[in-house]
Amino acid sequence: MPPFAEKPDGLVVIEPLKAFTCAGCGRDDDPLLRLEDEQPFCMTCADLDHLIFLAAGNTALTRRARKASTLSAIVIRWSRSRKRYERQGLLVERAALEAAEEQCLADADIRARRREREQVRRAEADLDFQAELAAEIRRLFPSCPRERAEAIAQHAGTRGSGRVGRSAAGRALEENAVTAAVVASIRHEDTEYDDLLMSGVPRQEARDQVRAAIDDVLAIWRA
Ligand SMILES: [Zn+2]
């Protein structure tokens, strides 16, 4: 990778100038990519698709959101004129961004921005599909808490995302696809996975390290 203007500490994600094909799943419509061993991966394959984009510009908000987010990634884009990568913003957890916004409420733009984001989320949500998906999660994992099943379904069933629940298999509520959505959620929420990624552990190695912890939660939820 060509030089970056600053020394990035943490994960780096690239907003490419041209469309790319994901080396993991083959999709070619993700606007962001992460390089792993020189290969481009989409945000879903890179396990970063639950993060939301915060554009650079508000320094206090960025600093606070990053601090509050277990997993975060810097988004950079190549500048043809300046011949270097430049920071576009940050991918952070929704909850972290909202906590940071609370701390910055003096900024009157924030409520408007949140409303806008919420409108986009609603517009993209396929509520019927999400309800079906949540019910299917509860059927396969009867001990998964109801709110958690709904949150997983909401994340997986957002229109236009490459997330598990939106794949053809997920639409048909195929069992493997539903389980994959549940596993992805457990990985981020109930294991050390995000901390491992942030500390620089390669994705496959981090996945291997948390596999047993995921299986434990799956066994509890299946009961
Ligand atoms: Zn992919």
Side-chain angles (χ1 to χ4, degrees):
M1 197 174 111
F4 181 44
E6 317 158 49
K7 169 94 180 72
D9 46 338
L11 301 183
V12 174
V13 157
I14 300 170
E15 188 186 323
L17 300 177
K18 285 186 285 190
F20 71 99
T21 301
C22 173
C25 67
R27 72 181 282 203
D28 57 8
D29 61 347
D30 197 326
L32 296 176
L33 71 81
R34 170 142 171 86
L35 282 178
E36 292 181 0
D37 300 328
E38 309 289 312
Q39 302 262 68
F41 288 88
C42 74
M43 293 300 94
T44 302
C45 289
D47 293 326
L48 300 174
D49 70 343
H50 61 304
L51 304 180
I52 56 176
F53 181 68
L54 170 61
N58 187 330
T59 314
L61 185 61
T62 297
R63 180 171 39 79
R64 286 170 168 152
R66 184 171 194 180
K67 196 162 165 240
S69 204
T70 311
L71 187 61
S72 63
I74 300 159
V75 178
I76 61 174
R77 187 171 63 197
W78 180 253
S79 163
R80 287 198 174 102
S81 54
R82 297 199 182 86
K83 303 267 182 285
R84 65 178 190 204
Y85 277 101
E86 292 181 333
R87 186 184 293 249
Q88 304 300 305
L90 199 62
L91 292 177
V92 288
E93 291 155 3
R94 179 182 297 276
L97 177 54
E98 287 176 358
E101 283 175 341
E102 293 298 334
Q103 296 175 323
C104 294
L105 264 183
D107 176 357
D109 290 343
I110 282 172
R111 285 183 193 281
R113 267 211 307 277
R114 183 178 294 179
R115 246 193 327 269
E116 220 169 86
R117 204 166 58 234
E118 194 53 27
Q119 276 166 3
V120 169
R121 194 180 67 74
R122 285 222 194 87
E124 288 178 345
D126 179 338
L127 297 178
D128 290 343
F129 174 64
Q130 288 177 11
E132 272 173 56
L133 187 54
E136 185 65 5
I137 291 168
R138 295 266 297 162
R139 188 181 72 79
L140 294 171
F141 301 96
S143 298
C144 171
R146 183 177 301 278
E147 320 77 65
R148 188 67 187 278
E150 283 165 3
I152 295 169
Q154 190 181 54
H155 170 68
T158 299
R159 187 174 296 146
S161 82
R163 291 164 192 151
V164 175
R166 302 304 303 184
S167 66
R171 284 300 273 168
L173 297 177
E174 198 244 314
E175 189 167 328
N176 286 341
V178 174
T179 302
V182 172
V183 165
S185 169
I186 294 172
R187 190 180 289 126
H188 289 300
E189 303 274 335
D190 304 299
T191 76
E192 297 295 295
Y193 184 68
D194 290 355
D195 291 321
L196 292 171
L197 284 189
M198 285 306 278
S199 65
V201 176
R203 182 163 54 91
Q204 282 308 331
E205 202 179 312
R207 282 184 163 225
D208 291 344
Q209 283 190 38
V210 301
R211 187 151 295 136
I214 292 173
D215 288 343
D216 288 348
V217 177
L218 286 175
I220 291 167
W221 284 3
R222 278 203 180 96

